[in-house]
Amino acid sequence: MKFREAVRAATVEVMRKDARVFVLGIGVPDVKGIFGTTVGLADEFGADRAFDIPLSESAVTGICVGATFRGLRPIFVHQRIDFTMLTMDQIVNHAAKWRAMFHGAHPVPLVIRAIVGRGWGNGPQHTQSHHGTFAHIPGLKVVVPATPHDAKGLLIAAVEDDDPVIYIEHRWLHEEDGEVPDGYYEVPIGKAAVVRAGNDVTVAAVGPYVGEALKAAGALAGEGVSAEVLDLRTLRPLDSETLLASVRRTGRLVVADADWGPCGVSAELLAVTAEHAFGALKAPPVRVTWPDSPVPSSQALEPGFYPGARQIHAAVRYTLSRGASAGLAGSSTKPFEGPF
Amino acid sequence: MSLERSLYEAMLRMRMVEETIAAIYPDREIRSPTHLYIGQEGVAAGVCAALGRQDVVAANYRSHGWYLAKGGSLRAMVDELFGRATGCSGGWGGSMHLIDVDAGVMGTSAIVGGGMSHAVGSALADRILGRAQVSVAVFGDGAVEEGPWHECLNFASLKRLPVVFVCENNLWAAFSPLKDRQPPVEIHERMKAYGIPSELVDGNDALAVHRAAAVAADRARRGHGPSLIECSTYRWLEHCGPNDDVAQGFRPAEELEGWKARCPILRMRSLVTDEEDRSIRAAVMREIEDALAHARRAPWPEPSWKPAYYEV
């Protein structure tokens, strides 16, 4: 099943199970149904439970908060995560604060599905990731699925959760195929996955960089380097236990994040590692992140903007070349020259 | 009990509670930005008298009056002002963040216009759930200048939601007068643009507010959509705190004196007997003393966090 079909399958599961769940957002009932993820929902569940909205992202976020007061569980979908910047007052000042500020009297079981629109020259305002922006805020949960399996299980878990969950999907994963179990299952929020075991270096990856990290790890294996790849899956609350256990074993860390570096999730991972596994580190960690710049539109610039498997591979070689010897045959200080 | 007597009692109770808060504020037992409602009591009393317990109100940081009029617990509110664990928000919210789920008081927001959409969302939920309940959005003239104000009105009208929008136009946003913030078009008249029935009432006439709110609530319950009531009123004290900002030179003295002469409580005094007035005052004072005593001996909240270096 494709990633986007898994998102839709999860939505159908939760709507069938729980009449309190409804889906709203600009384009939810249209023919294309938000990259196919909401197609047919209005037909099956009625226009009261799957509907279009005015271009009022801010108020509609607050409307979702208000609907939770009466016991409903909204899923608010944004075709571009950039549009959630219009809703930050309701997400940050309201939804994120509500449980703590009223001491549990009014939890807010709200899911914000937000899509990252990389590609086709979408430019600075249609391509941001922002998971780091949200992950900074106490009171929110932030998940970034990397596979169709997790796309379904994490969306179900997000709807089941009593706190606001920012569910971020990268549309260039939408066409990815993978095994997706039938029926209702949750992928627990707050748990990373070790998607490839290894001993020499930990590569912690976010969303689309999980696939890139696996490609790099495959190439590294051919060079005698055993890389462990973590799919972080949830960025808040961060599964630091899984991260630290891996780094304590490998002694080296590369973070591959689909976001800017400064003050971002990659910085947080390095901070957590420095705080809790400083003595285990054999070399300074390395971050593979987006350039510290808005995303350009031109086809001459856009492809080169995004690092990928090649850069992750290079970052691994770089960290292996530094600090205490990893005892690896062939580890080299020479700059990496391919093939990825 | 007659409507007149219950409105009078509700307003006098708000007034006496807040006068007590203002009087003890310098003692520093309350350490929370406190926005007093004194002078505006007619609005909350009139609107809430037209509501049932299951109807909800979403208000703002100046909400002691709304919380009390809707049936929120006085003890829990005073405990909250004192920062105690037994406060309505467990000591996490303070004066600006009151809630009483059972009484239909939604959590109040300290962001201007922030709670409006919550009332609209509650109304949307009632629509989806097939309930005939009313959600009230309370905001001041300042919220009219915020973007979500327009978004909320547009959405509520589009979906014909059971919302009553109550604008407390007290002419001032903190220290900024209305005339410096908005063009001279009456707020209620702008509702033509949204297709929302609206009415301008004297917010210091609790009976008039009640009449308008009853019509609006009835319209909402019948599924005929939202209404807006603009209530002209005036806050007597400074934007935040127990003092008189007229004396500080922020507002003209004659403006305040004019509004004090139109005190919503004084206006209804002749509708209750001296005996009723005395009896209400005595009962409210007992209730306040009980709440203060309760707050003073209530436990403090415990922190929910504990960084490792606290142990060193």
Side-chain angles (χ1 to χ4, degrees):
Chain A
M1 184 183 281
K2 288 183 173 174
F3 188 109
R4 59 177 172 76
E5 293 166 338
V7 172
R8 183 184 178 281
T11 310
V12 169
E13 291 285 346
V14 291
M15 293 182 82
R16 283 183 187 158
K17 177 165 183 268
D18 189 344
R20 299 170 302 172
V21 179
F22 69 102
V23 180
L24 71 175
I26 296 164
V28 161
D30 76 16
V31 185
K32 290 185 175 174
I34 313 202
F35 305 105
T37 61
T38 59
V39 164
L41 296 179
D43 294 335
E44 179 170 352
F45 300 103
D48 268 356
R49 292 184 61 203
F51 54 91
D52 213 342
I53 59 161
L55 281 68
S56 302
E57 290 90 342
S58 174
V60 170
T61 308
I63 286 166
C64 289
V65 173
T68 66
F69 189 78
R70 291 298 209 196
L72 297 189
R73 305 179 86 86
I75 302 174
F76 184 8
V77 193
H78 296 273
Q79 307 216 23
R80 290 290 187 282
I81 196 169
D82 313 75
F83 308 155
T84 65
M85 297 298 104
L86 291 162
T87 74
M88 290 305 257
D89 170 50
Q90 282 299 330
I91 292 181
V92 178
N93 289 331
H94 294 86
K97 301 293 185 284
W98 243 226
R99 177 194 280 280
M101 198 159 82
F102 299 112
H103 206 52
H106 177 189
V108 175
L110 163 63
V111 177
I112 307 279
R113 267 187 58 206
I115 296 168
V116 181
R118 171 181 171 178
W120 201 247
N122 266 246
Q125 293 182 328
H126 269 43
T127 52
Q128 299 168 89
S129 283
H130 277 310
H131 50 254
T133 311
F134 291 110
H136 186 60
I137 309 297
L140 299 180
K141 291 175 179 166
V142 181
V143 299
V144 185
T147 64
H149 173 276
D150 290 354
K152 183 174 175 186
L154 277 171
L155 184 53
I156 291 174
V159 173
E160 289 276 353
D161 201 283
D162 281 339
D163 286 318
V165 179
I166 314 295
Y167 176 100
I168 297 172
E169 52 194 81
H170 288 256
R171 76 165 178 180
W172 68 100
L173 294 175
H174 269 158
E175 298 301 321
E176 291 287 312
D177 251 315
E179 286 298 315
V180 176
D182 285 335
Y184 201 90
Y185 68 92
E186 291 183 44
V187 168
I189 292 174
K191 293 298 286 181
V194 179
V195 293
R196 181 184 175 117
N199 300 313
D200 298 330
V201 60
T202 300
V203 181
V206 176
Y209 281 88
V210 174
E212 299 296 318
L214 286 171
K215 280 187 232 164
L220 286 159
E223 300 159 21
V225 175
S226 163
E228 178 147 297
V229 179
L230 306 186
D231 175 356
L232 291 168
R233 303 200 291 196
T234 297
L235 305 178
R236 176 183 268 276
L238 191 64
D239 182 1
S240 42
E241 209 172 290
T242 299
L243 171 76
L244 292 169
S246 179
V247 174
R248 284 190 184 115
R249 220 159 22 71
T250 64
R252 297 175 194 271
L253 174 64
V254 170
V255 179
D257 191 14
D259 198 0
W260 298 300
C263 307
V265 163
S266 63
E268 178 65 15
L269 293 186
L270 266 58
V272 166
T273 303
E275 284 172 337
H276 301 288
F278 189 76
L281 285 173
K282 297 173 186 163
V286 182
R287 293 190 280 169
V288 178
T289 60
W290 290 359
D292 194 14
S293 151
V295 181
S297 172
S298 164
Q299 55 198 284
L301 298 175
E302 190 189 51
F305 181 85
Y306 296 103
R310 176 183 179 134
Q311 286 76 12
I312 295 169
H313 181 282
V316 168
R317 302 291 335 189
Y318 180 68
T319 186
L320 288 169
S321 75
R322 302 189 69 199
S325 165
L328 292 166
S331 72
S332 160
T333 54
K334 275 192 281 184
F336 174 73
E337 292 180 29
F340 289 100
Chain B
M1 194 192 296
S2 72
L3 175 65
E4 288 80 3
R5 152 112 199 216
S6 67
L7 289 173
Y8 180 79
E9 180 174 346
M11 290 190 292
L12 189 53
R13 183 162 171 263
M14 292 178 221
R15 176 71 57 92
M16 290 172 67
V17 167
E18 290 209 311
E19 283 177 345
T20 305
I21 292 168
I24 66 170
Y25 202 75
D27 300 341
R28 296 168 54 78
E29 286 182 297
I30 295 172
R31 301 187 190 182
S32 172
T34 298
H35 301 71
L36 297 174
Y37 193 58
I38 292 174
Q40 303 185 197
E41 295 92 339
V43 185
V47 170
C48 291
L51 301 176
R53 194 161 172 88
Q54 291 311 305
D55 298 324
V56 300
V57 169
N60 53 32
Y61 45 87
R62 195 181 306 285
S63 281
H64 300 160
W66 286 97
Y67 172 95
L68 293 172
K70 189 66 181 60
S73 152
L74 176 64
R75 263 193 183 180
M77 182 182 104
V78 174
D79 286 358
E80 187 60 33
L81 266 59
F82 275 66
R84 305 300 170 130
T86 45
C88 59
S89 303
W92 280 76
S95 164
M96 300 193 287
H97 303 298
L98 307 176
I99 190 166
D100 191 322
V101 173
D102 293 335
V105 182
M106 299 181 87
T108 60
S109 175
I111 308 295
V112 172
M116 257 184 98
S117 53
H118 301 171
V120 177
S122 164
L124 174 69
D126 286 339
R127 157 71 51 77
I128 291 173
L129 297 166
R131 295 176 180 156
Q133 289 168 354
V134 180
S135 300
V136 178
V138 180
F139 52 92
D141 45 291
V144 171
E145 296 143 34
E146 300 280 2
W149 183 79
H150 156 74
E151 297 184 9
C152 287
L153 294 164
N154 181 70
F155 190 95
S157 179
L158 174 76
K159 303 276 184 190
R160 291 175 69 81
L161 295 179
V163 188
V164 178
F165 293 103
V166 176
C167 177
E168 298 184 284
N169 184 350
N170 67 12
L171 304 173
W172 291 83
F175 308 114
S176 307
L178 183 62
K179 67 177 173 50
D180 289 351
R181 297 183 285 114
Q182 292 179 26
V185 180
E186 302 262 358
I187 291 166
H188 65 99
E189 287 181 353
R190 302 181 207 178
M191 291 308 102
K192 284 177 196 156
Y194 298 97
I196 293 179
S198 66
E199 192 176 343
L200 174 66
V201 300
D202 179 350
N204 288 13
D205 179 349
L207 283 165
V209 173
H210 175 263
R211 272 194 299 275
V215 169
D218 184 60
R219 189 180 287 137
R221 275 188 239 285
R222 287 168 185 274
H224 296 167
S227 316
L228 180 138
I229 306 167
E230 179 183 353
C231 303
S232 322
T233 188
Y234 200 74
R235 96 177 123 73
W236 290 7
L237 300 178
E238 60 193 330
H239 165 64
C240 178
N243 303 305
D244 172 354
D245 68 354
V246 171
Q248 300 169 44
F250 286 112
R251 293 186 294 174
E254 47 292 0
E255 187 175 284
L256 175 61
E257 289 315 311
W259 282 95
K260 278 189 168 174
R262 295 169 56 190
C263 170
I265 299 171
L266 199 58
R267 180 185 189 113
M268 291 192 72
R269 175 63 185 82
S270 63
L271 302 177
V272 296
T273 65
D274 289 353
E275 175 50 34
E276 283 176 317
D277 180 56
R278 267 196 301 276
S279 139
I280 293 168
R281 284 176 190 275
V284 171
M285 195 43 75
R286 278 196 301 277
E287 202 192 354
I288 291 172
E289 280 163 5
D290 162 77
L292 288 174
H294 188 266
R296 286 178 176 131
R297 60 172 188 267
W300 295 105
E302 294 287 333
S304 60
W305 63 93
K306 208 170 186 187
Y309 55 79
Y310 277 26
E311 305 290 346
V312 177

